[in-house]
Amino acid sequence: MTPFDLKIITPEKTFFEGNTEQIIVRTVSGDIGILAGHAPYVANIVSSPFRIKIEGEFRTAAISGGLIKVSAVTVVTSAIEWADEIDVARAEKAKAAAENKLRENASQKEFERAEQKLRRAMNRLVVAGKK
């Protein structure tokens, strides 16, 4: 496969910058695979596993949503971490806290925020191989 440049940035740092052969990402419309020469494309990313193929092997990260722009491929996200760097105990704690919040008689805004936190925690646990 022909490699292409990929850049993934968060507010704190550049998470990844380099060559990749393929990425697979979940957008609000479903999963999409990006290869070299892909047509220009922009989409919102949802909290999900993010797969990056480097030197023939896929590496997976947990992404907390964001935006993908394909021409020069750039991903902008609030948070992303490699599967082997996920703090499973912290993710389990965040999951439990979000589940507790969902059981409370909270406002609509608090309920939606708890749902987002639960999705992020579950995504991190799935990517880490713990669910």
Side-chain angles (χ1 to χ4, degrees), residues 92-131:
E92 296 262 4
K93 187 176 177 181
K95 176 183 175 275
E99 289 172 335
N100 287 337
K101 190 68 169 176
L102 288 171
R103 285 189 210 89
E104 294 176 5
N105 189 10
S107 70
Q108 184 65 27
K109 187 174 183 176
E110 290 171 325
F111 185 85
E112 290 170 359
R113 190 172 298 142
E115 279 186 319
Q116 289 174 346
K117 288 181 180 182
L118 180 59
R119 279 194 296 273
R120 283 193 299 268
M122 289 300 299
N123 178 47
R124 293 176 74 231
L125 292 169
V126 166
V127 169
K130 302 302 178 186
K131 289 288 175 199

Side-chain angles (χ1 to χ4, degrees), residues 1-8 16-25 32-38 50-59 70 73 82:
M1 290 186 173
T2 305
F4 60 95
D5 291 331
L6 170 65
K7 186 173 187 178
I8 302 173
F16 180 90
E17 186 169 16
N19 283 327
T20 183
E21 299 153 12
Q22 179 181 13
I23 61 173
I24 300 172
V25 60
I32 185 167
I34 306 292
L35 298 169
H38 194 284
F50 187 100
R51 300 180 66 207
I52 304 169
K53 192 172 191 180
I54 305 166
E55 296 179 3
E57 298 289 326
F58 275 104
R59 190 154 183 211
V70 178
V73 181
W82 294 117

Side-chain angles (χ1 to χ4, degrees), residues 34-52:
I34 306 292
L35 298 169
H38 194 284
Y41 179 78
V42 175
N44 288 322
I45 297 171
V46 298
S47 181
S48 61
F50 187 100
R51 300 180 66 207
I52 304 169

Side-chain angles (χ1 to χ4, degrees), residues 5-9 45 67-76:
D5 291 331
L6 170 65
K7 186 173 187 178
I8 302 173
I9 57 176
I45 297 171
L67 178 75
I68 183 168
K69 177 183 81 64
V70 178
S71 53
V73 181
T74 302
V75 175
V76 179

